Amino acid sequence: MTQQIKQPTLFQALIPLVALVIMLASSVYFFGEDSSYGPNQIALWIAAGIACIIGFKNGFSWEQIEKGIQEGISVALGAMLIILAVGSLIGTWLLSGTVPTLIYYGLELLNPGLFYAASCIICGIIALSIGSSWTTAATIGVALMGVASGMGLDPAIAAGAIVSGSYFGDKMSPLSDTTNLAPAVSGTELFAHIRYMGYTAGPAFIISVTIFLFLGLNADSSVSLEKLNQMQSLLDNTFNIGWAMLVPLGVLLFLAATRKPALPTVFFGALLGGVWALIFQPDMVQQMAGGNDTFLSHLKVIWLAMSDGTTVSTGSTNLDSLLSGGGMSSMLNTLWLILSAMTFGAVMEKLCLLKRFIQGMLKSAKSVGSLITGTLFTCFGANVLTADQYLAIVLPGRMFKEEYQRRGLDPRVLSRTLEDSGTLTSALIPWNTCGAYMFSVLAVSPLDYGIYAFFNYLTPLIAIVLAYTGWTILYRQPEMTENTQTS
């Protein structure tokens, strides 16, 4: 006889969530910025186990729970394949000179009199090209903080500019793991998601740069930018720098603009980067091949760049850190965290614990504007409570997906909302892994730079305005628009 399934109580729904928050807080306390490299995953598995025990008590069988986990993980499989392809792309683009050329020309934009605005733009360009706000802040960001110190500029404003630019580039890059994760959770396509984010991210970035431009009007322009000039010189000495190196980027952007599928587009970009490395960086490839000047030895270098990444030696520790990395193997920890987060979210969803938790919130969300605003605040709350941006995307995404579908909203609305808050507010919270990391590399607390990280909080504010005005809000079915707006 099949056991009758009982509906969970609010107390039951809170047990695994509270347990997860406590474990994640302990993880950050014990392991700091390394908490996402294993400890958080263990916390997610234990919390999922606690939820399973509640599920058994309510009448669920393990077979039902296991099927729910498999279905939940399958939602993110497409994104995980893209993330692996992104790893390969980063490896070959570093080796081909595509990323070094972007950095070189980005540094050309730096004008001492426009330091804050230029720093924001440079970090945006570099983060867009490598898909990582963390790497950008830890390399170019550190160099810019050194220049700001030498110029006697406010370190909090400089850090705010670096964080703003880094997160803009990360958010709009198809190479970013969070940018891949958000559409996977909501059920939309990567490049469609990126294009749609332009409605909130674009105005927020323009406003941010304008504010930084105003703040930098009185900057001292007489101080030498020797550090950044040295970086340009090292890039020029290590790679063949030129506009031709940007062809792989141009091809990728063209394929994205013509709405080609993300996975083959990204992987083709990786292969093209390997070809470009063979053509334009033969000395670099030969050096990495141990001096062997044969086609097969060079092919092996490209193969390894796609699987394990690239290691570059320029003579500068910061620059080497920026230009070394990539490869599919570099993405394995991200996939581990995504799998763990999706497992927890799938268990909570299958056992109706997420649904029970948000029932009260949904009752008060009468309009689309209030629903989107509630999602934004839930993502922010997840960043505060779970201290991890991945969880701030996955958990609210699983919680609200069904309601967005019920109201006929296009999945891009949910994916954009998740990124507008889940990704961006993480760097504003000191105990979040992102905030802790930015503090560790920039030596400025999020409590100090947070007010100047304009892009990170202007974006969710613009999202709220668009939500209540209805501008850019898309629907699956045209007939749903009138019914939803009048509800």
Side-chain angles (χ1 to χ4, degrees):
M1 182 177 178
T2 304
Q3 185 176 355
Q4 184 177 3
I5 294 176
K6 302 176 183 177
Q7 290 299 311
T9 65
L10 179 59
F11 178 73
Q12 289 178 328
L14 287 172
I15 290 175
L17 289 172
V18 171
L20 179 62
V21 169
I22 293 173
M23 287 187 288
L24 290 175
S26 302
S27 174
V28 173
Y29 176 78
F30 286 121
F31 304 102
E33 64 189 59
D34 293 328
S35 60
S36 292
Y37 292 85
N40 284 354
Q41 287 88 327
I42 299 301
L44 283 161
W45 278 62
I46 295 174
I50 294 172
C52 286
I53 294 173
I54 296 172
F56 295 146
K57 183 179 182 300
N58 288 342
F60 283 90
S61 67
W62 169 245
E63 289 72 21
Q64 290 173 309
I65 296 174
E66 185 179 37
K67 184 178 180 181
I69 293 174
Q70 293 170 353
E71 292 173 350
I73 291 176
S74 67
V75 172
L77 285 179
M80 289 190 285
L81 291 175
I82 294 172
I83 287 172
L84 287 173
V86 164
S88 287
L89 184 143
I90 293 173
T92 60
W93 280 22
L94 288 169
L95 186 59
S96 67
T98 300
V99 171
T101 297
L102 283 166
I103 296 172
Y104 183 91
Y105 289 133
L107 295 175
E108 292 282 354
L109 296 175
L110 192 59
N111 182 313
L114 309 173
F115 181 84
Y116 298 134
S119 295
C120 184
I121 294 172
I122 289 170
C123 288
I125 292 172
I126 294 173
L128 182 66
S129 67
I130 65 176
S132 173
S133 57
W134 283 29
T135 302
T136 301
T139 50
I140 290 297
V142 170
L144 291 170
M145 288 299 295
V147 174
S149 176
M151 296 173 67
L153 298 175
D154 189 325
I157 301 178
I162 292 166
V163 170
S164 291
S166 297
Y167 272 83
F168 169 74
D170 184 306
K171 179 180 169 68
M172 300 302 292
S173 174
L175 312 185
S176 168
D177 45 13
T178 54
T179 304
N180 279 273
L181 180 59
V185 172
S186 60
T188 190
E189 193 268 335
L190 172 62
F191 293 122
H193 165 67
I194 292 174
R195 287 191 294 269
Y196 191 58
M197 284 197 298
Y199 290 112
T200 52
F205 187 67
I206 292 172
I207 294 171
S208 299
V209 171
T210 302
I211 296 174
F212 286 127
L213 187 63
F214 175 78
L215 292 174
L217 290 178
N218 296 321
D220 182 2
S221 61
S222 63
V223 180
S224 171
L225 299 179
E226 184 179 354
K227 288 184 179 180
L228 297 182
N229 289 333
Q230 286 178 346
M231 189 173 289
Q232 280 189 305
S233 178
L234 288 171
L235 285 169
D236 202 21
N237 292 335
T238 306
F239 295 92
N240 291 320
I241 300 295
W243 291 106
M245 305 309 117
L246 301 181
V247 169
L249 173 62
V251 171
L252 182 73
L253 294 176
F254 172 76
L255 293 175
T258 54
R259 305 193 177 188
K260 297 298 186 292
L263 179 57
T265 292
V266 174
F267 193 66
F268 178 75
L271 294 173
L272 185 59
V275 173
W276 243 238
L278 292 172
I279 297 173
F280 293 102
Q281 310 296 338
D283 295 338
M284 172 71 71
V285 174
Q286 184 174 339
Q287 178 185 345
M288 293 185 175
N292 294 326
D293 191 15
T294 64
F295 176 75
L296 290 180
S297 62
H298 289 190
L299 180 62
K300 182 180 178 181
V301 171
I302 304 302
W303 202 319
L304 288 175
M306 296 183 71
S307 61
D308 288 330
T310 301
T311 301
V312 176
S313 178
T314 64
S316 167
T317 303
N318 282 339
L319 194 56
D320 290 349
S321 177
L322 180 63
L323 299 177
S324 299
M328 286 191 179
S329 61
S330 68
M331 299 297 181
L332 295 181
N333 186 75
T334 297
L335 297 185
W336 181 17
L337 185 57
I338 291 173
L339 276 171
S340 300
M342 294 299 289
T343 297
F344 174 74
V347 170
M348 293 287 289
E349 183 177 43
K350 181 65 178 181
L351 303 179
C352 301
L353 297 174
L354 283 181
K355 183 178 181 180
R356 181 65 184 86
F357 180 73
I358 65 170
Q359 278 178 344
M361 183 185 302
L362 293 179
K363 287 180 181 178
S364 62
K366 301 298 184 182
S367 66
V368 169
S370 59
L371 175 62
I372 292 174
T373 301
T375 308
L376 291 166
F377 276 100
T378 301
C379 291
F380 175 72
N383 266 321
V384 172
L385 296 176
T386 68
D388 190 271
Q389 64 175 345
Y390 295 101
L391 299 181
I393 291 173
V394 172
L395 295 183
R398 304 292 298 191
M399 290 166 63
F400 288 99
K401 183 177 180 179
E402 183 179 341
E403 183 64 17
Y404 276 69
Q405 291 176 338
R406 190 187 71 79
R407 300 197 186 197
L409 290 165
D410 189 284
R412 284 174 288 179
V413 178
L414 177 58
S415 66
R416 184 179 77 179
T417 304
L418 295 176
E419 280 239 72
D420 284 344
S421 183
T423 300
L424 296 185
T425 62
S426 60
L428 304 177
I429 301 162
W431 55 88
N432 189 284
T433 52
C434 295
Y437 180 83
M438 290 298 163
F439 175 60
S440 69
V441 298
L442 300 179
V444 180
S445 170
L447 296 176
D448 295 322
Y449 73 64
I451 190 174
Y452 301 108
F454 302 115
F455 175 75
N456 294 63
Y457 60 79
L458 281 176
T459 303
L461 290 177
I462 291 174
I464 292 174
V465 172
L466 296 184
Y468 279 103
T469 60
W471 191 63
T472 77
I473 302 303
L474 303 178
Y475 294 84
R476 286 178 178 271
Q477 301 171 355
E479 61 269 19
M480 290 293 296
T481 304
E482 182 178 352
N483 293 335
T484 305
Q485 289 180 337
T486 57
S487 62

